Amino acid sequence: MSVTHIGAVGSDLGRIEGPAKVTGEARYAAEQDHLHDVAYVWPVQSRIAKGTVRWIDDDPIRALPQVLAVLTPDNAPRLQPPDDGELAVLQSRTVSYRGQFVAAVVAQTLETAREAAGQLQVDYDSESHDVQLTADHSQLYRPGEPDAGFVSDTDEGDVDAALETAAFSVDHTYETPAQHNNPMEPHATLAVWDGDELTLYDSNQGAYSVQQSLAKLFGLDPAAVHVLNEHVGGGFGSKGTARPNAVLAAMAARVVQRPVKLALHRHHMFAVVGYRTPTIQRIRLGADADGRLSAIAHDVVEQTSTVLEFVEQTAVATRLLYAAPNRRTTHRIARLDVPTPRWMRAPGECPGMYALESAMDELAIECGLDPIEVRIRNEPHCDPETGKPWSSRSLVECLHRGADLFGWAERDPRPATRTEGSWQVGTGVAASTYPAYAAASSATARADADGTYRVRITASDIGTGARTALTQIAAGALHVPTDLVRVDIGDSAFGQATIAGGSMGTASWGWAVTKACVELREEVERRGDIPGDGIEVRAETSAEIKARTGYTFQGFGAQFAEARVNVDTGEVRVPRLLGMFGVGRIINPRTARSQLIGGMTMGLSMALHEEGVLDPAFGDYVNHDLAEYHVATCADVTDIRAQWLDEQDQHVNPMGSKGIGEIGIVGTAAAVANAVHHASGVRIRDLPIRLDKLLGRLPTRIG
Ligand code: MOS
């Protein structure tokens, strides 16, 4: 029988590694200091957006004191061709985007490496570049397969006919800018070769995945590559795959035959770790006289680079959020001479739901309905795309409960009717959704004669609290208190496991941990005791994951925002955000709340601040640091609350949990934009909502 213990699943156990982190004892990748003789590599970035490296004047740099090597496309170790062109570091003289690594200097000290890299003379043959995404770009094409295995286009019914006969309709284009991943800990790698064996201390979201990639690149047996990521300071998707820093550090270490460390500078991160593509999204909605949708069309234009076709799945949430007999979604992309866009928290759902949920607000106004009511009227009974039942879906309840807590009932729907001094005040709502993925993983559970347990899994705690949640899950499955269980993560030697991505870490790893721990407990119960040499059980979940069909697994939520717009300056403030989520069983309320609030904060940041500013002549985003690329800070966030329903889901996985890493960012920007409209009467359809976009459109203050 299960017993409730301190730290049990559902209790708010503090982070297990918390003390180590606050005392500085926890070591991140670049902080590994147990090795002697460590050298440093500093990358040299291309100054052109397209062309060829003609000549690198490396002799004077090699002659500098403390410089150990200069890596160039001509002398760098040859790699096996990767699937991800970003990992073909220094494999050719071709320049595909500004900021690409074209050379690197290895030196005895970090300062020397950086200084020497700055002095390295690189000459280019440059060609004219194309970096500007437009809705009618001549090179737009229908891509093979958007991210996460979706199809690019869907088409059901007759959208055009339905739009023509709709009682109410909206047809608007929404734009989001490039947004750049900036986890607190920049990407970093310490690479150590021992003969033909490679050890990487690397900041990533999946040590197993990085192990596999690096083994392939260097032509090694995966067993010869050991990747460690015990502590990781954030990722948001940018550390979801091996990045060029890992490859460059490994190459440099091989060349100089010493351990080599590379910690990316904040500036580097805007080029080589993946960012969110800018999007141009046309949404057309048609509704009948009661506000029931007859047609939904979502057409997305976005960019990728010439080195990798990465297609953000921006329209996928539109496929399942609302019922409508006629539905169409498309993705079109242009391959531009830009850094490669890649994952950034909730790729697809995040920008797509900004557009859809803004358009739903516009439709509600057209129909003269409350924006919550219009959503409730379009609630689908099953997944509109597949016809499958929902394993659970609590959008309507989230809207109701959120509205109660937020105080929605007193809302006067008329825009621009409330002022407090020079501030116009308004509120907005948007829906939120994110898939509840799970992927096959393996785990080992061990019982020792002293009554303690040890679980090993190649999980990554990127700041989410995964280590803590897994300890709770393991203890729950073992029927013992958490202080008897130690969960070791962050080591590729623990075997195959999925990444901390797609909000599926806890579900996927937790499934494998549960299976191993249940089997171990049963084995211990069968034997009646634990022998001196302990008992170990290994489990993996590919069969369970394969059998996971028959339902659509998806988390839902409702986001509420209060916005204040200053009529004199156009400044926007968001004094209040409330998110209500239906995300299955919450393993740990403390870490869950942090995840949800973190996502919402990032959504607020997207709404008001974040924007990669492209200079078409220069061929790159020009704001490459946190002074110029603005993110929300503590001063921007006042009252931000995340709550959840007690949602029971018997089908989703053994824990009944849904991913919570990404859903918090989905819909937040639309809720803010809708609140800005309600406050000011001005609809901003391109993010971020900057004061210059509002100024001139606000009423002149009287008195
Ligand atoms: Mo998240 S963008 O799947 O790491």
Side-chain angles (χ1 to χ4, degrees), residues 340-365:
T340 306
R342 208 69 195 269
W343 296 327
M344 181 168 174
R345 206 171 199 164
E349 287 80 8
C350 175
M353 289 282 283
Y354 157 66
L356 177 65
E357 289 298 285
S358 293
M360 285 298 282
D361 198 63
E362 304 208 48
L363 181 73
I365 292 166

Side-chain angles (χ1 to χ4, degrees), residues 205 235-238 240 343-347 434 462 499-503 662:
Q205 293 172 226
F236 307 126
S238 70
W343 296 327
M344 181 168 174
R345 206 171 199 164
Y434 195 81
I462 62 172
I499 61 164
S503 299
E662 289 164 282

Side-chain angles (χ1 to χ4, degrees), residues 533-604:
D533 56 355
I535 307 174
E536 194 166 290
V537 165
R538 186 160 181 80
E540 67 87 31
T541 56
S542 48
E544 287 83 352
I545 299 298
K546 203 171 281 174
R548 196 176 180 254
T549 57
Y551 295 93
T552 294
F553 305 100
Q554 190 90 12
F556 293 89
Q559 304 248 12
F560 295 81
E562 177 182 325
R564 292 177 172 239
V565 179
N566 189 294
V567 288
D568 298 321
T569 65
E571 286 168 275
V572 178
R573 296 281 183 269
V574 177
R576 224 156 44 101
L577 278 179
L578 174 92
M580 176 62 70
F581 300 95
V583 283
R585 186 182 190 192
I586 294 295
I587 308 293
N588 182 322
R590 188 190 314 206
T591 54
R593 184 166 282 115
S594 293
Q595 282 297 291
L596 294 167
I597 287 174
M600 292 168 71
T601 305
M602 219 165 156
L604 170 69

